[in-house]
Amino acid sequence: MSLTDPVADFLARIRNAIRARHQKLDVPASKLKTEIARILKEEGYIANYKATEENGRNVLRVYLKYGTNSEAAIRDLSRISRPGCRVYVGRDEIKRVQGGLGISILTTPRGVMTGRQARKEGVGGEILCEVW
């Protein structure tokens, strides 16, 4: 099955798994999804992730993170730049998410990074999503 927007599918699967209170979820693996999962782990939004092979297919297994009272670390995620409407920002146009309580994930010429890192390195790029 061919997906038009694999990143939106990845974010929707995370959102659905959190609402269903799952501990882990499997998604078809790609380099971009692995980089997004790496950033989510570094920022403390997921517990862990690992790339495995299941039935001859590469799968990215994401372990979700819950706090006390089974409250998810991720409150919500939203896709910003879509295949039909790409959103690019310069280094001075990167906005804070939820007043600094969330993160934006960007693809830049120096790789996938958070909005905070991109501002610090002085690069702009395409805003993939926002997480808070």
Side-chain angles (χ1 to χ4, degrees):
M1 182 176 139
S2 173
L3 290 173
T4 307
D5 192 358
V7 174
D9 177 63
F10 178 52
L11 298 176
R13 287 181 191 223
I14 291 175
R15 190 179 306 112
N16 292 341
I18 287 171
R19 290 189 178 148
R21 299 283 181 226
H22 291 289
Q23 294 299 313
K24 64 180 171 138
L25 71 127
D26 291 342
V27 294
S30 73
K31 290 180 183 177
L32 182 58
K33 291 179 199 175
T34 305
E35 286 297 305
I36 292 172
R38 177 187 59 81
I39 289 173
L40 291 175
K41 183 178 187 305
E42 286 175 0
E43 295 292 323
Y45 287 103
I46 61 174
N48 204 356
Y49 71 96
K50 68 177 179 180
T52 60
E53 190 169 320
E54 222 171 76
N55 300 331
R57 299 209 174 228
N58 290 334
V59 173
L60 183 66
R61 183 162 288 153
V62 178
Y63 297 92
L64 300 173
K65 185 176 182 179
Y66 295 96
T68 57
N69 302 332
S70 70
E71 184 178 328
I74 297 174
R75 181 163 295 205
D76 200 9
L77 325 107
S78 66
R79 178 82 158 116
I80 304 299
S81 182
R82 304 181 319 270
C85 183
R86 300 288 184 184
V87 178
Y88 298 96
V89 292
R91 66 178 189 202
D92 299 326
E93 301 165 346
I94 301 171
K95 294 183 173 68
R96 293 171 46 190
V97 179
Q98 297 287 313
L101 297 177
I103 61 166
S104 57
I105 299 177
L106 286 81
T107 56
T108 68
R110 297 188 189 163
V112 181
M113 60 180 70
T114 64
R116 191 178 309 114
Q117 290 170 323
R119 251 186 262 112
K120 187 185 292 184
E121 292 188 22
V123 294
E126 180 183 0
I127 300 180
L128 292 178
C129 62
E130 292 178 346
V131 182
W132 65 94

